[in-house]
Amino acid sequence: MELSRLSRRAFSALAGTTVLGLSLGGSVSSQALPRSGVRGPVPTGPPPGPPGADGVRHRVALDRYSLLVDGRRLTLWSGEMHPFRLPSPSLWRDVLQKMRAYGYNAVSVRLAWNQHSPAPGEYDFTGVRDLDLFLRTAAETRMYVVLRPGPYIGADVDAGGLPGWLTAAEGRARTADPAYLRHADEWLSRVNAVAARHQYTRGTGTVLLYQVDAPRRARLSRLHDKLRAEGIDVPLLHAGTPVAWGEVERTRDAAEARRVHLAHLAHGITLHNVHTAFGGTSWGWLAAPSAPTPTYDPTAAIDEARRPTDKMAPLHQLGQLLRNVPDFTRMEEARRVRAADARIKVRHLANPDTGTHAYVVRNDSATDVTSKVPMGGTDVEVTVPARDAKLFATGLHLGAGRKLAYATVQPMLSMSVGRLDIAAFVGRAGEMAHLVLDCPHEPWPTRLDEEAAWVYDHGKLHVTVPLEENRLTRVRVRSGKSDRTLILLVADDAASLRLWPYETPSGRVLVHGPALLRDVALDGATIRLTGDTVEECPLEVWAPRGITDVTWNGGAVGTSGSRAHSLLAVRPLPGVPELVLPALDGWRRRAENPESAPGYDDSGWAVADRRTSYSTTPVPDGQPVLFADDYGFHYGDVWYRGRLSGGADLESVSLSYSTGARGMLMAWLDGEPLGTHRVGREDDDGEGTWTATARFRLPEETREALGKEPGASRVLSVLVRRTQHGQDAYQAARGLTSVAFEGASPKVAWRIQGAAAPDPVRGPLNHGGLFGERHGWYLPGYDDGGWEPVSLPRADRRQGVTWYRTTFRLDVPPDVDASVGLVLDDDRDRDYRAQVFLNGWNLGEYEGGPAGEPHAFVLPNGVLRTRAAANTLAIAVLAGGEAASGPGTVRLKLLGGAAGGVPVKPVTSPGPRR
């Protein structure tokens, strides 16, 4: 968690000034200069409207409080999403629409260099790597973009996003080394050629900020000049930016998420980034060694299956607050406030323009605490759960002269819809909400739901509501002195997730009820709503005046007017129909690893005879370089074959190897298994590299055979699951590092083989060097008719690789978005690794044995054919032979479903080349 890079001293020094792009590491074009016409800070006012590629040039600047877009304050509530972790471009729109609906106004996008560049000078921005398409989609969904192209991005990806070929190239990454800068500059130039066309300053897209990887100041100046020369004129963010950029890493639960995000708010941060908003899948060989499963971030508020988690409520509430209540774009530290109970810590802020005060109240203790807190001249009794936090406000304008005196619940939004003012407040189920409004004239309150109660006393309206699970309570407030009616909405966390504000060119809209609101269009007297339902649910709409008709996903909805001045559906919206998934059967099996046989033809393999390397791993004296990267094999498994001469008295072989987490090694001598070795926790060097030595003593019969034919040539075959490069020690070797013999000193001639040419569609990280991968056994359309029919679970006992294939069909209705997973489960005593492929796309590794856990591989729609089309499932099992190996139970699992969704275009999944 990164609280803020803006020190208090720097914060004060910037007071009253407008800091342009230079404060972000660069200048802004002349069109981007603010023209507010006022001295000192820009006053608080309505935020800019939702962004889009509108063809109009925009001015972007920053002062000590917030971003300024066309002279208007904007609080950035950004969520991180990695397009490369969702290899189905149609679903990018789904996730972006969900992020926008849940309150985000920006998406932070990291670009993985290794996804786009299979070799030096080669770049691919097509298909699942289509940056232009993603940026267009972001603009169409009205989301700002914070672009983060690296070159180094971290993000728990192989080598921190650096391409595999760079691990074996001259130069040190993230330095001023000219050899590295040539490659890094070329990468950024390719990105900039796309990004420049989508900048918000030009009106051709919504790229608002550009974050650079510049760990050293000298590099920053050079990089700044390069980016400006290549047409990047939006502000730049970098490690030394003297502004408050708040990025929250993974949080355990909703309470922690609320606590750390409110802490950012309490420190005046207005550039917020949630890392991550959507988790996604580290498919193929994408994951860094530190990532234990293909699931990238199981703590994300939108999970790998694109469903909201229990962490969504506080993020949704805070995002809607920052979007709909402009007071929080300019907050200053105010007079110190102490709670009566010292276990409660209070941070007091105030907006000098509007008079709104905010109180971030935090409880770090292990028990719930009830205490009085001075707020707006009143000691207010509040309860803060253990290790949680709350946000309270006073002086908040609620329209028509009404102001919030204080409340024991958090404001979520305040907006005008036609002649209505609507304010929503949220709390936890089981609490008693108490709202007190300053009303200049005696109000006429009406409780619209039975839970609410009210009393008016001495110019203050007191409203109390007991918060119930998933219950929205409405109170109407009128006054004879105003033609504007206030609708108070009070909700618990669950009910707040059914409140959807939306801004259209013709006015604001608020919708309550469905699981998701994707889009709103006003068409004459009709409001057209698009979204998702999971269960049968009500629909309530507050819309501008003149709207009388409602449609939902294209179908007319009968409505009636309510006492809350809303349109209320007379019948609930239907939920998602029941979906039945097929059983997986019809399996076929074939064993491989012919590379272990002494007569296997390896003449086409690379000769491993190099003597020097750019790797940070030393080359052993007297031995050739055996590191896989030096021979162009950067991802997946790699084979070695060494021809031994003069080994008649050989007693044992010691194979030293270096991998990422979960690495393993298998060895054969003349086709006879010597054994299998796995790296363990104790082998970790702390920098993302695991090194170990596998010592195999030759079986007695093998030693006798060597002695009978002392002049014969022998073949030592080694398969190394080399796994990923570390994010820091990215140039550490992968594969074999050295070989030692006991009893004899044979001469060895080595050859090496890894992955075939990169898949032009699926990219360079999709497959490795297994025989079945090199020959297309994982691809749809491969002819497996000659394979052995088998059923699962399966219990084989052999050292090596065995493949299993089957096909299946789904028939999901076209108006249903079904998220489907593949579950592998097995006994803990069956130790093996399984690589899973769907329609040729590598979904990641399942680890069986004591360390393994049941895992649901998410099958992204698009890669998964859901509309009555065949899907090919292939599983490569690597086992050591010591115990029975699987696969065990393999089944499809429905992870979630919704009536709605977005149109999904099948992802190209080519079969074997003919």
Side-chain angles (χ1 to χ4, degrees), residues 292-463:
T293 70
T295 301
Y296 168 53
D297 185 357
T299 71
I302 301 176
D303 69 12
E304 188 181 9
R306 298 176 289 112
R307 304 166 301 180
T309 68
D310 59 2
K311 196 181 298 180
M312 180 58 77
L315 302 180
H316 178 59
Q317 295 160 8
L318 189 52
Q320 300 296 355
L321 175 72
L322 297 179
R323 174 187 282 181
N324 292 284
V325 181
D327 304 68
F328 290 91
T329 59
R330 186 186 173 194
M331 282 289 182
E332 296 179 342
E333 187 174 0
R335 177 181 54 83
R336 186 172 182 180
V337 168
R338 289 186 174 88
D341 191 314
R343 291 174 295 176
I344 295 290
K345 308 299 181 186
V346 183
R347 180 86 171 183
H348 181 200
L349 306 170
N351 185 303
D353 300 324
T354 66
T356 297
H357 289 246
Y359 304 82
V360 176
V361 182
R362 195 174 78 182
N363 174 16
D364 292 332
S365 74
T367 59
D368 296 356
V369 176
T370 299
S371 177
K372 289 188 175 181
V373 177
M375 290 192 290
T378 303
D379 287 343
V380 182
E381 185 173 272
V382 300
T383 299
V384 185
R387 298 188 177 91
D388 207 334
K390 290 187 177 183
L391 171 67
F392 304 110
T394 64
L396 184 65
H397 290 264
L398 302 180
R402 305 179 185 99
K403 295 173 68 174
L404 179 68
Y406 64 86
T408 62
V409 283
Q410 175 177 311
M412 176 175 166
L413 59 85
S414 179
M415 58 191 296
S416 295
V417 179
R419 290 185 178 178
L420 292 177
D421 296 319
I422 303 177
F425 294 82
V426 292
R428 319 298 178 264
E431 296 179 340
M432 177 63 76
H434 183 195
L435 291 82
V436 181
L437 276 62
D438 287 322
C439 297
H441 308 287
E442 184 171 355
W444 304 337
T446 304
R447 63 177 188 176
L448 306 179
D449 295 287
E450 291 300 319
E451 302 82 30
W454 62 267
V455 64
Y456 182 69
D457 183 44
H458 292 88
K460 295 185 184 297
L461 175 65
H462 295 255
V463 178

Side-chain angles (χ1 to χ4, degrees), residues 16-59:
T17 65
T18 298
V19 185
L20 303 181
L22 188 59
S23 72
L24 291 168
S27 62
V28 178
S29 63
S30 59
Q31 292 86 355
L33 297 177
R35 297 171 183 163
S36 61
V38 300
R39 291 174 178 257
V42 175
T44 303
D54 54 13
V56 177
R57 286 189 172 269
H58 295 278
R59 306 186 305 274

Side-chain angles (χ1 to χ4, degrees), residues 776-829:
W777 293 8
Y778 64 100
L779 295 173
Y782 179 83
D783 184 5
D784 59 11
W787 289 24
E788 173 193 5
V790 296
S791 59
L792 300 182
R794 181 78 183 180
D796 290 334
R797 191 182 293 269
R798 66 181 293 271
Q799 176 177 293
V801 185
T802 307
W803 285 78
Y804 299 83
R805 283 172 55 98
T806 191
T807 60
F808 64 91
R809 289 176 179 268
L810 300 177
D811 192 9
V812 177
D815 57 349
V816 171
D817 178 12
S819 184
V820 179
L822 180 76
V823 176
L824 275 68
D825 194 6
D826 213 337
D827 298 331
R828 290 296 186 92
D829 59 351

Side-chain angles (χ1 to χ4, degrees), residues 20-28 220 224 228 233-238:
L20 303 181
L22 188 59
S23 72
L24 291 168
S27 62
V28 178
L220 176 62
H224 164 269
R228 296 306 183 217
D233 56 26
V234 297
L236 308 181
L237 299 173
H238 58 85

Side-chain angles (χ1 to χ4, degrees), residues 49-50 142 502-509 519-523 544:
R142 304 196 301 177
Y502 197 99
E503 186 172 348
T504 77
S506 301
R508 292 190 170 189
V509 171
D519 201 10
V520 177
L522 301 182
D523 181 8

